[in-house]
Amino acid sequence: MASPTTLSGADQRAQLLEVALGLLEASGPEALRARRLTAEIGASTQAIYTLFGGMPGLFEALVVDGFVRLARYVEAVPETDDPVADFFARGGAYCDWALTNPQCYRLMFGLTKGLDVRSGLEMTATGTLANFPEGQDAVEVMVRSLGRVIDAGRVRPVDPVVAAGQFLSATHGYVLLEIAGAFGEGHGLQIIASLASNLMVGLGDSREAVERSLLAATAASGEAHDARIRLATPGAVLAGVDRHRARRSGAVPAADP
């Protein structure tokens, strides 16, 4: 590692963010202390104040960096000729990133206890979903993806920002419950898959078309590196739908797990 005296301010800043992120995920926000962080890169604690204006500024920088990395990860999902499958696949990537970076994700949404960090998102009457550029850029990935669904005529003409807010509400709730360990293995995926499908049907797509797109999206998600997302196979995500149909037809007893 280069001596701190030879590093540019930008390089020192990048190193401190990298160290801070590693400590955040490994030990939680309470592990982030100026002396410990600067010792990791061989600098004095003054570097925190020079580069970030203090520890609150470092936490703000972690939030901004988190939204940038989340947007890049989700946008890296390739597009196909099925915009609904692509939208679902990007939703899966969102979950994948959040579940891989749970401490950072909570910080991004102002959910870290004891820290006064701004919430990343704030829906407004002007049609924005975030209160700073990097957050808005991350949301726009979802809005543009949903715009493709609308342009393809799969759903009724709707305000993509409002519709994106509906899907974000569902996805964010699922992620937080998954982080908290509220679901058994694979059960949460069945719930979020059914919920996303119901939302898309509610916007005007047909149930059959949505299920085909969901199958395509979940089949394409098999390379995701998070174990919980790898459970998103066609059989897993549609199992709940099939069981519900069987119960309604009387083929499966209501008490069947």
Side-chain angles (χ1 to χ4, degrees):
M1 179 184 296
S3 166
T5 59
T6 65
L7 290 174
S8 68
D11 287 339
Q12 267 198 336
R13 189 178 190 278
Q15 281 195 2
L16 282 169
L17 281 175
E18 182 178 357
V19 171
L21 180 62
L23 286 174
L24 175 67
E25 291 299 341
S27 304
E30 61 276 5
L32 272 60
R33 296 289 183 266
R35 191 178 302 277
R36 181 175 182 181
L37 290 170
T38 52
E40 290 283 344
I41 68 167
S44 71
T45 55
Q46 184 59 38
I48 295 290
Y49 298 91
T50 300
L51 299 171
F52 300 100
M55 288 300 293
L58 173 67
F59 281 108
E60 294 282 354
L62 284 170
V63 169
V64 168
D65 180 69
F67 275 102
V68 169
R69 291 185 297 112
L70 172 60
R72 288 175 180 169
Y73 190 86
V74 173
E75 198 162 28
V77 174
E79 292 183 349
T80 69
D81 58 358
D82 185 339
V84 173
D86 297 345
F87 184 76
F88 287 155
R90 288 189 167 187
Y94 180 107
C95 296
D96 183 20
W97 190 92
L99 295 173
T100 305
N101 302 274
Q103 294 280 7
C104 185
Y105 185 82
R106 287 175 53 82
L107 183 69
M108 288 158 58
F109 287 88
L111 299 175
T112 301
K113 185 178 180 180
L115 291 177
D116 184 17
V117 179
R118 66 184 173 186
S119 175
L121 300 187
E122 181 180 345
M123 181 175 283
T124 70
T126 61
T128 62
L129 279 171
N131 54 19
F132 61 104
E134 295 83 1
Q136 184 63 29
D137 289 345
V139 172
E140 284 295 331
V141 175
M142 180 187 296
V143 174
R144 288 194 300 271
S145 186
L146 192 55
R148 290 184 64 228
V149 174
I150 297 168
D151 292 343
R154 290 284 296 269
V155 299
R156 297 184 301 275
V158 294
D159 183 337
V161 174
V162 173
Q166 294 171 352
F167 280 100
L168 177 62
S169 298
T171 305
H172 181 66
Y174 159 71
V175 165
L176 292 182
L177 287 169
E178 190 74 86
I179 289 173
F183 301 121
E185 188 176 41
H187 186 58
L189 287 169
Q190 294 179 16
I191 292 173
I192 188 58
S194 296
L195 180 51
S197 297
N198 290 339
L199 279 173
M200 196 65 75
V201 171
L203 290 174
D205 205 358
S206 73
R207 176 70 62 183
E208 293 75 15
V210 166
E211 290 186 3
R212 286 195 299 271
S213 294
L214 183 61
L215 285 170
T218 53
S221 74
E223 297 303 316
H225 66 272
D226 187 275
R228 284 162 291 195
I229 301 303
R230 282 201 300 271
L231 291 171
T233 61
V237 296
L238 293 181
V241 176
D242 293 340
R243 187 179 298 113
H244 177 66
R245 287 175 173 168
R247 284 174 179 164
R248 290 186 63 184
S249 68
V252 176
D256 184 60

